[in-house]
Amino acid sequence: LQLALAGFRTVLIDRDGVCKHTSFGNSGLIQCENVVPYAFPRQPLKVLSYALNLAPEARLIWRDMPSLLPWLFAYWRHGAAPRVRATAGAARPLVQAAALAHQEMAESAGTSHLLRPTGYLKVYRTAAAFDQAAVEDLAAAHTYGITLELITASDLKALEPGLMGAFAGAVYYRQPPSLADPAELTNAYATHFEYIGGRIVTGDVRALTQESGGWSLAAGEITLVAPHVVLALGPWTNDVLQKLGKSLPIGFKRGYHMHYQPVSDVALTRPVMDAENGYLITPMRRGIRLTTGAEFARRDRPPNTVQVDRAERAARGLIGLGPRLDDQVWLGARPCTPDLLPIIGQLPGHAGLWLNTAHHHLGLTLGPISARLLVEMMQGVDPFTDPTPYSPTRFF
């Protein structure tokens, strides 16, 4: 859509249809405050709890570890404090422009009403966890210009009277908008793309071939030829790059979701993260969506319900949840680089082949703004921010 809006004659090739995979299952939150990355923990006790699968926010499939260890080691290295600060500083221009970029794109598509001005809450049940979060989050807010409020237990109950149990407090981020149906917004963007002249074609980009002066792809009964190709393939990026003799260090933080029938007469009005149990609940059109933390496993390992089951048990003590509304858990693979910065730019040695991928937990959040940056690079104009930190050349 950003390419078409900029005047490029654009075809979108998609294997299964718009919004059928990873971005379909997100929490519906435009996290314009999420500058500091989800770094690999450095506290020994937390690392041990992850290794033993005792922490609800993370699960390791140990039989997959041999293939995952190189990426996990690189991710661990980038969890050192100086590297986390470097990542946060590099991410800031994209993350903090994300909400406005969505607003502008939604206005162009006539769908601004889908962006709800809700903000979101991170709730804490224990005073120790809340006090630690207050120190860390306030420090990050001061460093990176993030707006937040510390909420007392009584104020939390006033904001969300449907929450149950005792709380020590909450961190309230007012700025991030949320969605009642992320797929509805994404499909609206696709509809607008076609309306302004874009074309959507079903095809498998693994058939991409380089030719003199450009790129060619056979899709069904047609062959598409173009001087420029953008790979926005998320966890499937290397499926194409390996055919070109390249590979990027993209790992996978798999995540699940499930919808539940609300049982309380008092509706949940905004996303709420249970910070001590590593899941998030969001009021959506279908019901209350519960999204899990990260499962470290092979990308294509079949789904299981362990992480959803554990999060559900905790969530039933947080909000009134009725029966499950989905026949099976939904699974997506969040594509992550070790430094948790996206990959945006031209692939070295392959003129006209551009990447916009590996947005980790922020795929929906960063979609419009990272696309804007890429389009500015393709146009040859001065981009709104320095694209160097996101360049694929950092891995070659």
Side-chain angles (χ1 to χ4, degrees):
L1 179 52
Q2 290 283 37
L3 283 165
L5 289 170
F8 285 84
R9 187 179 174 199
T10 310
V11 179
L12 172 65
I13 301 104
D14 200 300
R15 184 177 61 187
D16 296 322
V18 174
C19 201
K20 300 295 185 185
H21 290 283
T22 308
S23 292
F24 172 82
N26 59 73
S27 61
L29 192 58
I30 310 300
Q31 286 197 262
C32 54
E33 92 304 336
N34 193 197
V35 173
V36 181
Y38 296 99
F40 196 102
R42 288 303 178 104
Q43 306 93 320
L45 287 178
K46 179 166 278 194
V47 173
L48 180 62
S49 71
Y50 282 13
L52 298 176
N53 282 330
L54 299 177
E57 69 267 25
R59 183 167 184 263
L60 279 67
I61 307 299
W62 276 100
R63 55 186 173 276
D64 291 347
M65 284 302 106
S67 63
L68 304 181
L69 276 176
W71 183 86
L72 280 173
F73 178 70
Y75 180 36
W76 172 81
R77 290 179 63 242
H78 281 280
R83 296 193 179 206
V84 171
R85 288 194 293 270
T87 291
R92 183 179 180 180
L94 286 182
V95 173
Q96 294 186 338
L100 179 59
H102 264 288
Q103 186 63 45
E104 291 173 345
M105 185 170 277
E107 286 175 359
S108 77
T111 56
S112 354
H113 62 283
L114 298 179
L115 296 170
R116 305 178 298 186
T118 59
Y120 85 104
L121 291 160
K122 291 198 300 184
V123 301
Y124 295 86
R125 294 188 178 277
T126 65
F130 180 54
D131 292 345
Q132 180 181 349
V135 171
E136 294 175 353
D137 290 2
L138 285 172
H142 175 74
T143 302
Y144 303 110
I146 301 167
T147 301
L148 61 80
E149 300 173 36
L150 300 181
I151 302 295
T152 65
S154 59
D155 288 340
L156 175 60
K157 285 290 189 178
L159 274 173
E160 292 292 345
L163 296 180
M164 304 184 300
F167 298 93
V171 181
Y172 185 18
Y173 297 92
R174 288 184 180 269
Q175 292 180 318
S178 67
L179 301 162
D181 185 346
E184 181 181 9
L185 181 67
T186 307
N187 283 308
Y189 288 163
T191 298
H192 188 53
F193 167 69
E194 291 185 294
Y195 177 76
I196 64 174
R199 184 180 176 189
I200 298 177
V201 172
T202 300
D204 190 333
V205 76
R206 288 175 295 186
L208 184 70
T209 58
Q210 188 170 14
E211 298 184 350
S212 177
W215 298 86
S216 176
L217 177 67
E221 298 180 354
I222 63 172
T223 298
L224 300 164
V225 179
H228 297 282
V229 173
V230 178
L231 299 181
L233 295 172
W236 297 278
T237 300
N238 280 328
D239 290 11
V240 174
L241 295 188
Q242 286 167 356
K243 294 179 179 294
L244 302 174
K246 295 286 178 71
S247 182
L248 290 165
I250 297 176
F252 314 109
K253 291 187 181 182
R254 303 193 340 156
Y256 295 86
H257 86 222
M258 174 58 67
H259 291 96
Y260 299 84
Q261 179 69 44
V263 297
S264 172
D265 292 335
V266 183
L268 189 68
T269 59
R270 58 180 53 80
V272 174
M273 176 183 289
D274 184 344
E276 291 169 89
N277 287 294
Y279 66 88
L280 188 142
I281 54 173
T282 310
M284 291 198 175
R285 186 168 290 113
R286 177 161 173 75
I288 294 177
R289 177 181 289 186
L290 181 152
T291 53
T292 70
E295 180 183 68
F296 296 92
R298 289 185 293 106
R299 182 192 67 189
D300 297 327
R301 174 171 289 283
N304 63 70
T305 66
V306 171
Q307 211 167 15
V308 169
D309 295 342
R310 293 179 69 180
E312 179 184 317
R313 286 194 291 271
R316 290 192 182 280
L318 185 73
I319 192 77
L321 294 180
R324 293 184 175 186
L325 298 176
D326 304 327
D327 293 333
Q328 57 187 14
V329 295
W330 182 91
L331 169 65
R334 307 176 184 106
C336 305
T337 59
D339 59 9
L340 292 188
L341 289 171
I343 300 170
I344 307 170
Q346 192 165 211
L347 184 69
H350 296 277
L353 186 64
W354 303 81
L355 300 170
N356 189 13
T357 189
H359 293 78
H360 64 101
H361 297 258
L362 302 180
L364 174 69
T365 294
L366 295 180
I369 192 63
S370 64
R372 172 188 163 187
L373 177 61
L374 183 68
V375 170
E376 290 172 346
M377 294 168 67
M378 294 174 71
Q379 289 175 310
V381 302
D382 289 335
F384 78 92
T385 190
D386 180 10
T388 304
Y390 325 118
S391 173
T393 59
R394 70 190 194 268
F395 299 118
F396 297 104

